[in-house]
Amino acid sequence: MRLTQFLLSRYFKRYVEREMTHRTLRRQWKPISGWKEAVKKNWHYEEHRPWTDAFRQDNQAGQWHPRVFVEPIKEWWIFKGDRVEVLTGKDKGKHGLINSIIKERNWVYVEGLNCEYTMRSQSPNIQPICMKSEKPLLVTTQVKLIDPSDNKPTDIEWRFTEKGNKVRVSVRTGRIIPLPSGAKELEDFVNPESYTECEKDTKDDEVKEVTFQPRLSTFEQDIMDAMGIKENRKPTKTYWY
């Protein structure tokens, strides 16, 4: 079992950003406070993930990107592997599977839909090659989840079953929409259910082992108990005036 499963869901992304911050760290001289470290806070997210070289090139020191306003989503209802319907563009009305999600921009990529074709030529003597690339779609307004009971788009809401399990329910039909396997995928594209432990992973027994028992005793009393020292003296009464 990986230790990251017990941490916050954004642990991996924060770890990569911290590593990137150390690489782009700059020192600036202020007349009053002296030398200050300029830390990059506004990261520019696109289809490249934070641990790739393309993301590092987009976030190099001195580069400017227009400010992007992203609608905050409290709880995601669409996951990798879901079947959705495209609501805009030339592929409007078509169904496809989601193969990638960029939560920092509310983007989803639908397999084989909303594509852009570009011609690239490596040299004038060779015929150009047609490159196909999928473009992102906004999860809030440009795609909608498909109800598997009738294959029509629907809104969903989260509910709890009698056993206490949280499920997605179609607002139109009231049917439960099962979660795909990609719903349990972590930030580093690892599924805990299909993950196999390695030598450097923290074992399940070591994570669940209780190594600290809280007690109502002072630091000195803990040391005396550990060394087997018994105190028979009684403290004298103190008076406050």
Side-chain angles (χ1 to χ4, degrees):
M1 182 177 292
R2 294 167 52 115
L3 182 60
T4 52
Q5 297 177 27
F6 293 88
L7 303 178
L8 298 176
S9 59
R10 293 295 186 186
Y11 168 79
F12 186 76
K13 184 174 74 71
R14 293 203 311 270
Y15 167 76
V16 177
E17 288 182 352
R18 186 170 67 250
E19 293 296 322
M20 290 289 297
T21 301
H22 291 306
R23 295 184 182 182
T24 59
L25 195 63
R26 294 182 300 170
R27 300 191 67 191
Q28 295 180 352
W29 170 259
K30 301 292 183 179
I32 299 176
S33 58
W35 287 101
K36 288 288 184 179
E37 294 182 348
V39 180
K40 185 177 179 62
K41 297 181 179 180
N42 298 324
W43 300 91
H44 180 70
Y45 290 95
E46 287 189 354
E47 65 270 14
H48 307 295
R49 293 290 75 205
W51 54 88
T52 59
D53 294 335
F55 179 85
R56 296 171 185 171
Q57 293 178 2
D58 292 340
N59 289 272
Q60 288 181 355
Q63 286 194 358
W64 179 85
H65 296 281
R67 189 174 181 182
V68 179
F69 297 93
V70 181
E71 180 182 353
I73 297 178
K74 231 178 218 184
E75 189 172 10
W76 278 71
W77 64 95
I78 291 181
F79 304 97
K80 185 178 179 180
D82 276 329
R83 183 176 294 275
V84 296
E85 179 178 326
V86 180
L87 304 178
T88 183
K90 59 182 179 180
D91 293 327
K92 182 179 180 180
K94 294 183 180 180
H95 297 181
L97 295 176
I98 293 178
N99 56 14
S100 180
I101 294 178
I102 310 296
K103 291 186 177 181
E104 294 82 8
R105 297 287 297 271
N106 292 349
W107 283 352
V108 293
Y109 289 83
V110 183
E111 185 176 352
L113 299 179
N114 194 36
C115 297
E116 180 182 359
Y117 299 89
T118 55
M119 302 296 293
R120 297 182 182 179
S121 58
Q122 299 179 355
S123 65
N125 299 328
I126 301 177
Q127 292 184 355
I129 302 174
C130 182
M131 303 295 293
K132 177 183 177 181
S133 60
E134 298 167 353
K135 292 299 178 182
L137 293 166
L138 278 176
V139 70
T140 53
T141 57
Q142 296 180 344
V143 294
K144 188 166 284 191
L145 193 64
I146 293 296
D147 190 343
S149 60
D150 55 2
N151 290 330
K152 292 183 179 179
T154 179
D155 294 325
I156 71 106
E157 62 181 5
W158 291 98
R159 295 182 184 176
F160 289 92
T161 61
E162 296 179 354
K163 297 182 179 180
N165 299 325
K166 196 174 183 179
V167 295
R168 297 182 299 180
V169 178
S170 173
V171 176
R172 183 168 45 82
T173 61
R175 299 290 185 89
I176 295 178
I177 302 177
L179 293 174
S181 59
K184 298 182 179 180
E185 195 174 83
L186 302 178
E187 289 289 334
D188 51 354
F189 303 114
V190 175
N191 194 334
E193 294 183 351
S194 60
Y195 182 80
T196 55
E197 292 184 356
C198 302
E199 296 179 357
K200 296 184 178 181
D201 290 336
T202 306
K203 303 299 181 182
D204 187 15
D205 299 336
E206 296 177 357
V207 173
K208 296 180 180 179
E209 181 183 0
V210 179
T211 58
F212 174 74
Q213 293 290 345
R215 297 174 54 191
L216 294 176
S217 60
T218 62
F219 176 70
E220 291 79 4
Q221 292 174 349
D222 290 338
I223 295 178
M224 293 173 63
D225 293 341
M227 300 181 66
I229 303 174
K230 294 183 178 180
E231 179 62 62
N232 299 324
R233 296 175 299 177
K234 295 182 179 180
T236 58
K237 293 183 179 180
T238 56
Y239 303 92
W240 297 89
Y241 298 97

